[in-house]
Amino acid sequence: MENYYNKSVEEVTRQKGANLEKGLTGREAERRLNEQGPNKLKEGKGRSLFAMFIDQFKDMLIIILLLAALISALLGGIKDTVVIAIILVLNATLGVIQEYKAEKSLTALKEMAAPTAHVLRDGQRQKIPASLIVPGDLVLLEAGDYVPADLRLFSVADLKLEESALTGESVPVSKETGLLDRAKAPLGERNNMAFMGTAVTYGRGMGIVTATGMDTEMGQIAELLEESVKEITPLQKRLDRMGKKLGLITLVIVSLVIIVGLWRGIEFFDIFMTGISLAVAAVPEGLPAVVTIVLALGVQRMIKKNAIVRRLPAVETLGATTIICSDKTGTLTQNQMTVKGLYLSGRKVEVTGEGYKPEGRFLADGEEVFPEQDQDLSLLLKAAALCNNAELKEKEGSWGIIGDPTEASLIVTAAKAGYHKADLEQAYLRLQELPFDSKRKRMSTINQTPEGQKTAFVKGAPDEIIKLCNFYWQQGKKQELTAELRQKIVTVIEEYAGQALRVLAVAYKPVQERGQPAYTIEQIEQELIFVGLLGMIDPPRREVAESVQTCKKAGIKPIMITGDYPITAKAIAAQLGLYAEGDRIITGAELDELSAEELAKRVSETSVFARVSPADKSRIVDALQKKRQVVAMTGDGVNDAPALKEADIGVAMGITGTDVAKEAADLVLTDDNFASIVAAVGEGRLIYQNIKKFIRFLLSCNIGEVITLFLALIIGWPRPLIPIQILWVNLITDGFPALALGVDPAGEDLMQQAPRNPEEGIFAGKMAFNIGAQGLFVGLITLVAFYLGRHYFSLPVARTMAFGTLSFSQLSQALNARSERYSIFRLGLLSNRSLVLAIAISGFLQFFVLLFPPLQAVFAVVSLSALQWLLIIGLALAPLIFVEVLKALGISYVKEKE
């Protein structure tokens, strides 16, 4: 593997065919992509369709049944053997289709959650999927990014990378651009390189891509990562264990069936085949696969509602969420900052105009002010635009931004005065940057003015900036910042905050040439000259107020967490319905004074946390979890990652979020909208409810089959069903209706119920009662059909009637399974069209078997009279009436406490 750390930037540029001014052209990048392949690590190979098909036959009961069928063929029962084999192949095919759909859905989900990167191509900064990066590309790095490929750095601004993924060293490494003149250097000492998979913790930088995909340093160890690990949710694990337990119970019952059958004089081979067929039908071996499909389909619905699930277990937890802790900016608000007011040299200036279009006016006391004629205003606007990393772009008459919306609003305001950032940066050459971080709450740049004077521009949180200022700028002169003037500035800040404006302060100072490589924070950020304030509005999202009310009806408490002032936070929270009189607001300073125990006591009464840092979020999560709350926490920055990991559901912003935040999160919002979190919680609840529906359906049907055969043999009757019939009923009822229940639409009260306890079992409430009672009823009516047929007609008629009653009554059960509480007529018979279609298909197949003469012979059934058909239909509909009565009497569900 070629080394680049010991080569100069010029040499690497030539070798990789890079262009440090404009980057690669789009056409050249496409050519290299076709030549080199995508920038991806090798992954474990997925299973082929044939492997999936073979896996369907690896169940021990299926193997026993196949062996028994083979023995039957050798003894002359070829017809039965062929039919059993066909049914098992059809069952396996259905299983393969289900698994394939689930895997394709999850693969598509993984592609949607794939990382992106910023590159310079055709002279423009572009955001592209990381997989499209090619050698020779110029990649831009910022705090919170994951490095998408191996890079030779050629520009850095206090760049630090966390390289523990490669080196095991968790302490961030400072990067530089100089040549490392050593033949061999360990990865941890290659300070002019950035490696794929490492994280930017601080600063900014640019680098030339030297290697992609498997050619990267990460690619060298990718073989260790190649084994694909299938993600399993806690529910799937519980169901898997439950299936094994049910399998053991079923085997015991089947053994009893065989023993009783032999005692009743039935031939060993006949009763053995019956027992094994019953075991195959009764054990819900496909349950985990169906759960995976329902989860995958639910995840696809979430994508349409702007929420990408990164970890499948999160779907289960979402439905149990009791607290949503949300950032204010961009999540509760529109994140379209517009500067509305300025304060400078003792006066307020109103700024007109909306959005990102750089058109507007500056008004002081109703009179228009022209920045080119006002030194103080000119300095404020220029400083705000120069100490800034956002960009304003026009495309086909529409204006958009690249970068942080707060910074972008400053650029737009400067552009309204004719100060365009690109022009300013040419005139005021940037020499150095001290990047923003959440501890300092400010950013600084050192620029050289057209006159050659080195000047520091600083912007950030007003309370932090004011502390660093000894002077202020008024009427083109530096003056002392007295205590009286400080108080006046604080008063203006509070006024702006009371109007729900977010406030930034700007300061500057000339700096002296020191003859050293770079200025330090201590040298720059002290004895500053205060220039002014910018107050910007970020309007609340219109849909959030309704979502907040939905949360409250659903027993979910929304909490606002923001770095803004308490008065600003309170104003926005009140508008959205998050804050009511009597609610508590806790500031970051107050939070620091509280012990963990005190915070745990107060956190339940708190609706707003203001002036908090990302580190405070972890304390808030911990306090809420100690109160046994299930917490969803939003975040977008690199420092939010610990809180996102600690929360039960970490929610990252897809638009403004950093790669580090997205990697730590369980859920990524593609629109950064609070309403999407609430919608995702609703989907989580719906998925869990639908899983319970088809479990209730499958198990009640399986119990009905077991009871039918077991009681008949105990009573001393002949077998009501033969093996082929048992397997057929299992095939047509376990497939389509069960899947259709998995996509049942949400009920009217989905978000009007309290969140479920995440520790409750799948059979909590009346689940076990309903499965047992309804399964017993299905078994009993099947025996009634068998009794009537045998008593009044003949054994072949009796078996045909039992076969028809069992299969059609199970289709009735599919309708019953839609709700434990509400009547099917209140839900609407046609409200789940997928289920209606599934019942129609399964019903048609059963009618075909009972009416088509060649199949009658195969399944050992006979033609029936009109009276016999009326008996079957009446008995098959009886479960609907039975369950409707249970619902009406309130027996089938847990009543809410008064």
Side-chain angles (χ1 to χ4, degrees):
M1 185 173 179
E2 190 170 359
N3 292 321
Y4 294 92
Y5 62 86
N6 52 10
K7 295 181 180 179
S8 66
V9 171
E10 293 75 16
E11 190 177 353
V12 174
T13 302
R14 285 195 304 274
Q15 189 171 337
K16 292 298 176 183
N19 183 325
L20 298 188
E21 291 184 4
K22 294 185 177 181
L24 298 177
T25 63
R27 183 176 295 178
E28 176 61 18
E30 186 177 356
R31 186 191 69 77
R32 295 188 187 192
L33 183 66
N34 292 332
E35 187 179 283
Q36 300 277 344
N39 177 36
K40 290 183 178 179
L41 295 179
K42 189 177 178 183
E43 295 181 351
K45 292 182 179 178
R47 290 186 303 160
S48 65
L49 288 174
F50 180 73
M52 287 184 190
F53 185 77
I54 295 300
D55 284 346
Q56 305 299 314
F57 296 94
K58 288 184 178 178
D59 183 85
M60 183 55 67
L61 292 173
I62 299 287
I63 293 170
I64 293 172
L65 183 61
L66 284 171
L67 288 173
L70 183 61
I71 294 169
S72 174
L74 294 174
L75 296 175
I78 294 177
K79 182 189 76 173
D80 286 356
T81 301
V82 171
V83 174
I84 288 172
I86 290 172
I87 291 173
L88 290 178
V89 167
L90 287 173
N91 203 40
T93 302
L94 183 61
V96 168
I97 291 170
Q98 291 172 345
E99 279 196 47
Y100 182 72
K101 279 187 70 175
E103 289 201 6
K104 292 294 281 184
S105 295
L106 294 176
T107 301
L109 176 66
K110 188 176 179 182
E111 288 296 321
M112 285 201 70
T116 57
H118 286 98
V119 298
L120 189 68
R121 286 185 181 174
D122 295 313
Q124 298 288 321
R125 176 173 171 167
Q126 300 177 24
K127 185 177 182 180
I128 65 171
S131 59
L132 301 185
I133 286 175
V134 295
D137 256 326
L138 303 186
V139 173
L140 296 85
L141 301 175
E142 294 182 349
D145 290 349
Y146 271 101
V147 179
D150 285 0
L151 314 175
R152 172 62 166 90
L153 298 169
F154 65 86
S155 173
V156 298
D158 287 340
L159 183 66
K160 293 182 181 179
L161 268 62
E162 198 262 291
E163 299 180 333
S164 60
L166 276 176
T167 65
E169 179 57 60
S170 60
V171 178
V173 178
S174 294
K175 293 295 179 175
E176 55 191 42
T177 60
L179 177 72
L180 186 60
D181 194 11
R182 289 165 59 182
K184 288 187 178 180
L187 285 177
E189 295 179 13
R190 299 178 188 179
N191 293 340
N192 56 11
M193 298 289 296
F195 300 110
M196 173 191 259
T198 59
V200 182
T201 60
Y202 190 79
R204 297 188 305 127
M206 287 184 70
I208 304 166
V209 176
T210 57
T212 59
M214 295 300 289
D215 294 330
T216 63
E217 293 290 346
M218 186 65 80
Q220 300 303 298
I221 59 171
E223 300 299 328
L224 302 175
L225 309 173
E226 196 174 329
E227 188 63 35
S228 180
V229 179
K230 192 173 182 180
E231 193 169 35
I232 300 176
T233 73
L235 175 62
Q236 286 174 302
K237 291 175 184 175
R238 290 202 300 273
L239 290 177
D240 193 41
R241 290 194 296 269
M242 180 196 76
K244 289 173 181 174
K245 289 178 183 177
L246 286 176
L248 290 173
I249 294 169
T250 302
L251 285 175
V252 171
I253 294 172
V254 166
S255 300
L256 289 173
V257 166
I258 293 172
I259 292 168
V260 173
L262 291 172
W263 179 55
R264 293 292 184 187
I266 301 174
E267 289 290 331
F268 171 78
F269 194 75
D270 287 345
I271 194 63
F272 177 75
M273 287 289 286
T274 300
I276 294 298
S277 299
L278 180 61
V280 170
V283 176
E285 70 283 340
L287 202 55
V290 179
V291 171
T292 301
I293 293 165
V294 173
L295 286 168
L297 291 173
V299 163
Q300 291 296 321
R301 289 197 303 273
M302 285 190 194
I303 291 170
K304 292 176 183 176
K305 295 181 179 180
N306 304 308
I308 299 175
V309 177
R310 295 193 69 256
R311 296 181 178 87
L312 213 49
V315 177
E316 197 176 322
T317 312
L318 265 171
T321 301
T322 59
I323 300 281
I324 300 177
C325 294
S326 174
D327 291 318
K328 178 181 72 67
T329 302
T331 309
L332 297 171
T333 59
Q334 295 176 19
N335 207 21
Q336 285 199 348
M337 292 286 189
T338 304
V339 173
K340 305 300 288 183
L342 308 173
Y343 176 76
L344 63 154
S345 60
R347 61 199 166 109
K348 292 180 181 176
V349 175
E350 179 190 350
V351 184
T352 67
E354 298 291 338
Y356 296 130
K357 193 172 184 179
E359 293 180 0
R361 298 192 301 159
F362 300 86
L363 305 173
D365 298 322
E367 297 290 327
E368 186 165 4
V369 181
F370 299 95
E372 66 270 17
Q373 299 170 8
D374 189 316
Q375 274 189 316
D376 299 351
L377 180 55
S378 177
L379 176 60
L380 175 61
L381 297 176
K382 287 179 179 178
L386 288 165
C387 185
N388 202 310
N389 287 323
E391 294 180 31
L392 183 64
K393 297 285 185 182
E394 182 185 16
K395 188 175 182 181
E396 298 176 357
S398 178
W399 291 88
I401 64 163
I402 297 175
D404 180 72
T406 302
E407 287 200 314
S409 69
L410 308 184
I411 294 175
V412 172
T413 306
K416 289 176 181 178
Y419 301 139
H420 296 280
K421 188 188 175 197
D423 297 335
L424 287 173
E425 287 185 330
Q426 282 188 350
Y428 294 79
L429 183 65
R430 182 184 292 191
L431 305 175
Q432 186 183 339
E433 176 186 335
L434 299 173
F436 174 88
D437 69 54
S438 58
K439 289 182 180 178
R440 288 167 40 243
K441 295 183 180 177
R442 57 187 177 271
M443 167 188 176
S444 299
T445 62
I446 294 91
N447 298 69
Q448 185 167 295
T449 69
E451 296 77 29
Q453 171 65 56
K454 291 185 178 178
T455 303
F457 296 107
V458 186
K459 79 168 191 306
D463 50 346
E464 296 295 327
I465 298 294
I466 291 171
K467 291 177 190 175
L468 305 172
C469 292
N470 291 15
F471 309 96
Y472 79 104
W473 189 259
Q474 186 170 13
Q475 296 178 355
K477 295 178 182 178
K478 181 176 79 169
Q479 302 186 36
E480 185 180 350
L481 186 61
T482 63
E484 183 182 349
L485 286 171
R486 286 180 191 273
Q487 185 55 49
K488 190 173 182 181
I489 294 169
V490 170
T491 301
V492 173
I493 292 169
E494 290 173 351
E495 286 177 12
Y496 278 162
Q499 298 167 27
L501 295 181
R502 186 176 190 183
V503 187
L504 287 180
V506 172
Y508 91 107
K509 79 170 184 180
V511 294
Q512 300 300 316
E513 184 71 57
R514 293 181 181 269
Q516 55 189 31
Y519 294 93
T520 65
I521 290 173
E522 292 74 19
Q523 291 167 347
I524 296 301
E525 295 176 355
Q526 62 175 329
E527 298 184 0
L528 299 176
I529 304 167
F530 178 81
V531 178
L533 303 172
L534 300 98
M536 58 206 74
I537 189 75
D538 184 12
R541 291 181 183 266
R542 292 172 187 168
E543 63 276 18
V544 168
E546 183 181 344
S547 296
V548 167
Q549 293 309 309
T550 300
C551 279
K552 292 183 175 181
K553 289 176 185 175
I556 301 167
K557 181 177 180 178
I559 295 175
M560 176 192 287
I561 297 179
T562 178
D564 270 350
Y565 289 92
I567 192 167
T568 309
K570 180 180 177 181
I572 294 287
Q575 287 181 44
L576 295 172
L578 276 163
Y579 175 86
E581 286 302 321
D583 287 355
R584 188 188 293 273
I585 296 177
I586 294 180
T587 66
E590 292 168 344
L591 197 62
D592 291 339
E593 298 298 319
L594 295 176
S595 66
E597 292 73 22
E598 289 172 327
L599 178 58
K601 288 177 185 176
R602 297 190 191 183
V603 72
S604 299
E605 307 160 8
T606 306
S607 298
V608 176
F609 289 90
R611 301 303 284 166
V612 296
S613 67
D616 293 326
K617 287 185 174 183
S618 294
R619 287 195 65 200
I620 295 167
V621 168
D622 183 59
L624 288 166
Q625 288 174 334
K626 282 180 179 174
K627 303 287 283 186
R628 303 184 71 79
Q629 302 289 348
V630 179
V631 184
M633 171 67 78
T634 69
D636 54 11
V638 62
N639 293 325
D640 288 328
L644 294 178
K645 286 182 179 178
E646 289 166 23
D648 299 284
I649 297 288
V651 184
M653 304 298 108
I655 299 172
T656 60
T658 61
D659 291 345
V660 172
K662 292 174 188 175
E663 186 66 25
D666 305 289
L667 192 73
V668 176
L669 303 182
T670 57
D671 62 351
D672 292 9
N673 194 335
F674 177 84
S676 298
I677 307 175
V678 180
V681 170
E683 282 296 336
R685 289 188 175 193
L686 179 61
I687 289 167
Y688 193 83
Q689 281 190 5
N690 285 351
I691 287 172
K692 289 186 73 171
K693 288 174 188 177
F694 69 69
I695 289 173
R696 188 161 61 240
F697 165 65
L698 288 177
L699 294 187
S700 62
C701 292
N702 291 356
I703 287 173
E705 294 164 10
V706 171
I707 285 173
T708 299
L709 277 164
F710 188 63
L711 286 183
L713 291 173
I714 291 294
I715 295 168
W717 292 355
R719 290 173 298 159
L721 301 164
I722 61 175
I724 294 173
Q725 293 171 345
I726 296 169
L727 293 171
W728 176 254
V729 170
N730 184 58
L731 175 66
I732 65 168
T733 59
D734 280 13
F736 301 121
L739 277 174
L741 282 169
V743 293
D744 205 34
E748 59 192 48
D749 64 342
L750 179 72
M751 292 298 281
Q752 295 174 7
Q753 305 170 13
R756 65 177 176 82
N757 184 342
E759 296 177 4
E760 75 176 22
I762 194 75
F763 295 107
K766 291 294 186 78
M767 180 82 163
F769 166 78
N770 285 320
I771 289 171
Q774 293 170 29
L776 176 63
F777 191 82
V778 167
L780 290 177
I781 60 170
T782 304
L783 288 173
V784 167
F786 183 71
Y787 170 79
L788 293 174
R790 182 164 170 259
H791 188 74
Y792 293 104
F793 305 107
S794 65
L795 182 59
V797 169
R799 279 190 173 142
T800 304
M801 288 179 66
F803 182 38
T805 300
L806 180 64
S807 57
F808 290 126
S809 66
Q810 290 191 0
L811 298 181
S812 294
Q813 267 299 99
L815 293 173
N816 286 332
R818 289 190 61 194
S819 175
E820 286 184 338
R821 180 172 191 148
Y822 297 114
S823 164
I824 185 62
F825 303 105
R826 178 174 172 176
L827 296 175
L829 283 168
L830 301 178
S831 56
N832 184 345
R833 296 185 183 277
S834 297
L835 182 59
V836 173
L837 179 62
I839 290 173
I841 292 171
S842 296
F844 172 78
L845 291 173
Q846 182 63 18
F847 273 119
F848 198 58
V849 163
L850 291 172
L851 297 174
F852 189 53
L855 288 178
Q856 286 180 335
V858 170
F859 285 91
V861 296
V862 295
S863 297
L864 300 176
S865 68
L867 175 63
Q868 291 159 354
W869 271 111
L870 281 174
L871 287 170
I872 289 175
I873 293 169
L875 288 168
L877 292 175
L880 271 175
I881 300 168
F882 172 67
V883 174
E884 287 293 313
V885 170
L886 292 181
K887 291 175 182 177
L889 296 174
I891 297 172
S892 63
Y893 61 91
V894 177
K895 295 180 180 178
E896 294 178 6
K897 295 178 181 178
E898 296 294 332

